Amino acid sequence: GRLGSSALAGVGLAGTACFATLGFALGMLRATKVVVSQEYGAGRERTIGDHINTSIALSTVLAIGIVLTSWVLAPWLGVLNETPEAAHAAESYFRIRMLSAPALLAYGTLREARFGLGDSRYPMLASVSGNLVNVGLDYVFIVEWGWGVEGAAIATNAGHVVEAALLLGVHLGSRHARGAVRVSLMAPLIGLGFPLGLQFVLEIGAFTMLAAMISRISDLEMAAHQIALQVTHLGFLPAYAVGEAASVLIGQAVGAERDSLVRPVAHVALKVVTLYTAVAGIAMAVGGSSIAALFTEDPSLIARVALLMVIAGALQIADGANILARSVLRGTGDVRWPAAVSVSIAWGCTPPLMWLLGYQLGWGAAGGWTGLLIELLVGASVLWWRVEHGGWMRAAARSRTRQRDARIELVEKTA
């Protein structure tokens, strides 16, 4: 925020572009948690190391492709910003940030594996350490040394390297490090991961379209979007964490063939998420102007952020319910139907409503955020209907069968 609206706008668009470029790989590697948790729940400890190391190998291949692709995409970010200053900030930030793809994907894979084993402690310690490094270097590079958005990108990359290094050390010190990389185990990983990755990239595509449409209005609107987006992380990331915990417990239950535990776990998690997101939403709606003043002294920007914070307050509850429903279904191995539905709703709501409300009615970024709110309300309703009516049961059975077949094939090849 110290660098002005153009820097905020450029970094906001570039950050969304980073997430979009990494989205398929990040989504695909989330299958690691599903596979590991189901194997752990079934008591098949021997094959877990093979699954983890196979996932690490896959993440390395994906990361190399992403780094090469990002350097081709970087120049295109410049044409999506209103001013040359914002365009330069976006391209510079994106180029540097994407160099951390190998570390980020390795960390993501190892984090998912630890979650699948029921361990949230080491991922938490790695994340806290990485963020402390990031924040500390942000101050040094941006405030003290004047490196601008490039300094922000380098600081974030350093944080990712710390996260990956710490979890890699944990993995190498565990009994699972002895597992082999096995091509035969790619089938269950890709079978579960491909729909998740496709869902990620297509949904992020809709969100990236929203950011691009806002950036074409003005740097002020894009800066407000960026600030509001950062603040909402305080609401939806704890909901995401509860969802991850529910996904692990449900994955372990499915692996142990105790499907009757799925809905009770989901209901408890929903109560926790709804309580938290309601409190967070009220705080955002009531304190929008005060929150915005932490980022900028520009009165016009503060007013735009305060408006988005009112919408964000309502959005928190819908987002929490949506996140949790996806996590529950993912834990059962039900990924294809939710992916298709979520992508259809995302593209059917957010970009069209941004065009109608944001452009045609002149609401600006608030129009896009209203579209996002409607998307999340519809998505949460549909996905929770599937949870409650047992639409995931066949997928859970297929997931157990797929992993059993992979184990049989592995035993036959080993013999």
Side-chain angles (χ1 to χ4, degrees):
R2 294 170 176 263
L3 303 178
S5 296
S6 294
L8 277 169
V11 170
L13 181 62
T16 302
C18 289
F19 198 45
T21 307
L22 290 160
F24 179 80
L26 288 171
M28 191 167 189
L29 293 170
R30 292 178 84 179
T32 305
K33 177 173 72 269
V34 180
V35 172
V36 170
S37 66
Q38 292 185 0
E39 290 291 278
Y40 185 81
R44 290 183 285 267
E45 190 78 19
R46 188 175 60 85
T47 60
I48 290 177
D50 295 344
H51 282 290
I52 295 174
N53 288 336
T54 301
S55 295
I56 293 172
L58 178 60
S59 76
T60 303
V61 174
L62 291 171
I64 293 172
I66 286 171
V67 171
L68 296 176
T69 302
S70 67
W71 282 79
V72 177
L73 296 176
W76 292 95
L77 288 179
V79 304
L80 298 176
N81 285 278
E82 184 198 23
T83 64
E85 293 80 10
H88 175 73
E91 184 175 344
S92 298
Y93 185 85
F94 182 78
R95 284 185 184 277
I96 297 172
R97 273 292 307 277
M98 295 310 296
L99 293 175
S100 68
L104 179 57
L105 293 187
Y107 165 70
T109 302
L110 291 166
R111 178 194 62 198
E112 296 294 307
R114 299 308 306 179
F115 284 164
L117 294 169
D119 171 29
S120 59
R121 179 171 178 268
Y122 282 119
M124 178 196 69
L125 293 174
S127 181
V128 169
S129 300
N131 276 276
L132 289 174
V133 169
N134 187 1
V135 171
L137 292 180
D138 271 332
Y139 179 79
V140 173
F141 294 161
I142 299 172
V143 179
E144 296 291 336
W145 294 2
W147 287 7
V149 298
E150 291 84 357
I154 295 170
T156 301
N157 288 3
H160 289 323
V161 170
V162 169
E163 290 172 332
L166 289 176
L167 280 196
L168 182 60
V170 172
H171 174 64
L172 293 177
S174 73
R175 61 184 178 277
H176 301 123
R178 295 189 294 272
V181 175
R182 300 188 184 278
V183 176
S184 61
L185 295 182
M186 288 285 183
L189 186 65
I190 294 174
L192 286 169
F194 187 85
L196 288 172
L198 190 60
Q199 175 186 354
F200 246 57
V201 75
L202 291 176
E203 285 188 327
I204 294 169
F207 191 78
T208 304
M209 177 70 74
L210 170 64
M213 294 173 76
I214 293 174
S215 71
R216 298 299 295 172
I217 298 175
S218 69
D219 283 359
L220 183 69
E221 290 290 318
M222 187 60 196
H225 170 75
Q226 170 67 357
I227 291 173
L229 182 62
Q230 298 309 309
V231 174
T232 59
H233 282 64
L234 297 173
F236 79 78
L237 284 181
Y240 172 84
V242 175
E244 291 294 287
S247 180
V248 170
L249 293 174
I250 287 169
Q252 292 177 357
V254 168
E257 300 189 31
R258 300 180 66 188
D259 293 357
S260 61
L261 292 175
V262 170
R263 277 190 286 262
V265 170
H267 293 162
V268 172
L270 181 60
K271 292 176 183 177
V272 175
V273 165
T274 302
L275 176 62
Y276 178 82
T277 53
V279 173
I282 292 171
M284 290 177 192
V286 172
S289 296
S290 299
I291 293 171
L294 299 173
F295 291 83
T296 180
E297 297 178 354
D298 184 343
S300 299
L301 183 52
I302 290 175
R304 298 305 297 171
V305 174
L307 175 60
L308 295 185
M309 285 288 94
V310 173
I311 303 172
L315 185 146
Q316 294 303 304
I317 298 175
D319 197 15
N322 189 287
I323 289 169
L324 184 57
R326 296 185 193 196
S327 299
V328 169
L329 294 173
R330 186 168 62 249
T332 68
D334 186 12
V335 294
R336 296 182 181 180
W337 188 90
V341 169
S342 297
V343 168
S344 300
I345 294 172
W347 281 95
C349 289
T350 302
L353 288 173
M354 175 62 204
W355 176 84
L356 175 63
L357 302 176
Y359 283 8
Q360 301 304 310
L361 297 184
W363 291 12
W369 278 66
T370 302
L372 188 60
L373 172 60
I374 294 172
E375 172 198 328
L376 293 172
L377 285 170
V378 174
S381 300
V382 173
L383 294 177
W384 273 102
W385 181 89
R386 187 168 180 84
V387 172
E388 295 299 334
H389 288 79
W392 47 268
M393 290 182 176
R394 290 184 180 179
R398 285 196 303 268
S399 182
R400 284 190 288 261
T401 300
R402 183 165 46 237
Q403 290 184 231
R404 183 193 63 217
D405 292 344
R407 286 192 301 274
I408 293 173
E409 182 180 351
L410 176 62
V411 170
E412 290 175 347
K413 287 184 176 181
T414 303

